[in-house]
Amino acid sequence: MSRDRWVALIGAIAFSTVAVTYVMGLWITPPDVFQGNLVRLIYVHPAVAWVAYLAYGVTSLSSLAYLWKKTRNYRWDLLAAASAEVGVVFTALTLITGSIWGRPTWGVWWTWDARLTTTALLLVLYLGYLALRRVSEDREQRAKRSAVAALIAFIDVPIVHQSVVWWKTLHQSATVFNADLNPKIHGEMAWTLLLGFLSFTFVYLWMVIKRYDIANAQFNMENQSVERAIKERVGTA
Amino acid sequence: MNGFVEAGYAAVAAGLGSYSIWLTAKSKKLRTVVVPVKGDDINPRKEPD
């Protein structure tokens, strides 16, 4: 099977499993005893937050691969940037869905709670990373600076995750990945939550492949235009 | 339900949907620019005299 078909297959799996998650989350699963129908947001909110962590993890590993001389290649830099951009989309959605859940639960759209603040900081850090990529014209300098910035920004990821443990926060503690690894959710609610995690991971995979392909095509175009310009100069000299 | 749940799901669908559309449109546009057309050589080799 060709690469294009694989990508199309991943896309089809991603969007069909998201559709199933939506049906399960909105209509099949029961309301919660305490939260009522609001619990349905749990099938999307933690899943998009997980994908943001995953995206920044991939950005960090790719940045490390670029910085390490043995594996240095511009493809790692392109992958890091592609994953960071997708991560920014998912972080923004994490904040939006969290805010929508917070309004009826806490009575406010936003509060300077540790989890919310560190997540907002995460978004700002990676927006800064993407902005930094547009500053330098020199390709090597841009790649090196961006890789270092990505690694610094990643420090915030474990802080976000542990914020509900380290500080007294309004945000509830982890439902699945808690300290005792004892999930507080069961039955079809747990399966729908798991499906949400899987489906959004597939969406991430599809998006990062597409974004990487775009960056790669632009990279090749830049190379071609530089080569053509050199040939033209040499030809006229 | 209560409006908040629907809004949350709609926000995710709108966010991911619009980004996906942008990705698809951009890659299609680039494909038409980058993929060389058969027989259209940018640097045609000179035939030996």
Side-chain angles (χ1 to χ4, degrees):
Chain A
M1 195 153 70
S2 72
R3 188 178 178 278
D4 281 355
R5 288 206 169 182
W6 273 111
V7 178
L9 180 67
I10 291 170
I13 292 171
F15 289 99
S16 53
T17 50
V18 165
V20 176
T21 306
Y22 266 49
V23 173
M24 295 288 291
L26 284 170
W27 295 291
I28 309 288
T29 52
D32 182 59
V33 178
F34 300 108
Q35 294 192 38
N37 278 319
L38 267 182
V39 77
R40 297 179 192 283
L41 283 171
I42 207 175
Y43 307 121
V44 290
H45 174 69
V48 292
W50 141 255
V51 172
Y53 291 172
L54 173 70
Y56 299 141
V58 170
T59 298
S60 301
L61 288 176
S62 309
S63 301
L64 271 177
Y66 181 79
L67 286 176
W68 197 29
K69 281 187 180 173
K70 279 186 180 175
T71 51
R72 181 165 296 173
N73 189 312
Y74 281 117
R75 311 289 176 212
W76 290 120
D77 177 53
L78 298 181
L79 178 61
S83 191
E85 190 179 290
V86 178
V88 162
V89 172
F90 276 90
T91 312
L93 290 174
T94 305
L95 287 169
I96 292 167
T97 51
S99 178
I100 291 171
W101 183 83
R103 180 68 184 86
T105 313
W106 304 330
V108 286
W109 292 104
W110 179 264
T111 178
W112 293 102
D113 169 87
R115 171 60 70 86
L116 276 69
T117 308
T118 50
T119 308
L121 179 66
L122 193 66
L123 179 66
V124 172
L125 283 169
Y126 280 93
L127 280 173
Y129 167 84
L130 293 176
L132 183 69
R133 297 190 61 84
R134 290 174 172 268
V135 172
S136 178
E137 285 288 317
D138 181 67
R139 198 179 278 168
E140 197 180 330
Q141 195 182 51
R142 179 181 64 198
K144 273 186 188 169
R145 282 181 183 175
S146 309
V148 173
L151 292 175
I152 293 169
F154 190 73
I155 295 170
D156 193 35
V157 172
I159 297 174
V160 173
H161 187 70
Q162 289 298 105
S163 59
V164 289
V165 180
W166 291 342
W167 297 288
K168 279 187 176 177
T169 64
L170 272 175
H171 195 283
Q172 67 189 66
S173 56
T175 308
V176 179
F177 302 113
N178 47 34
D180 326 320
L181 282 176
N182 180 23
K184 297 171 189 167
I185 190 166
H186 306 280
E188 58 188 353
M189 293 168 98
W191 287 113
T192 310
L193 181 67
L194 181 67
L195 182 66
F197 274 78
L198 271 174
S199 60
F200 287 109
T201 304
F202 271 108
V203 171
Y204 162 76
L205 256 180
W206 180 80
M207 284 180 166
V208 89
I209 292 170
K210 294 291 271 186
R211 188 65 189 90
Y212 172 83
D213 284 349
I214 290 168
N216 198 29
Q218 286 171 331
F219 179 80
N220 289 337
M221 274 171 70
E222 275 174 33
N223 278 351
Q224 280 173 9
S225 57
V226 169
E227 277 174 23
R228 215 174 301 160
I230 291 169
K231 274 183 185 169
E232 278 171 15
R233 285 276 173 94
V234 171
T236 53
Chain B
M1 262 160 257
N2 59 15
F4 289 102
V5 174
E6 291 89 336
Y9 277 70
V12 173
L16 296 183
S18 49
Y19 186 60
S20 303
I21 290 167
W22 180 80
L23 284 175
T24 309
K26 184 89 176 169
S27 59
K28 267 188 185 174
K29 195 178 171 186
L30 274 170
R31 194 165 287 193
T32 53
V33 176
V34 173
V35 173
V37 180
K38 268 187 183 175
D40 181 18
D41 196 348
I42 298 167
N43 300 304
R45 285 180 191 162
K46 278 188 178 178
E47 290 294 323
D49 295 323

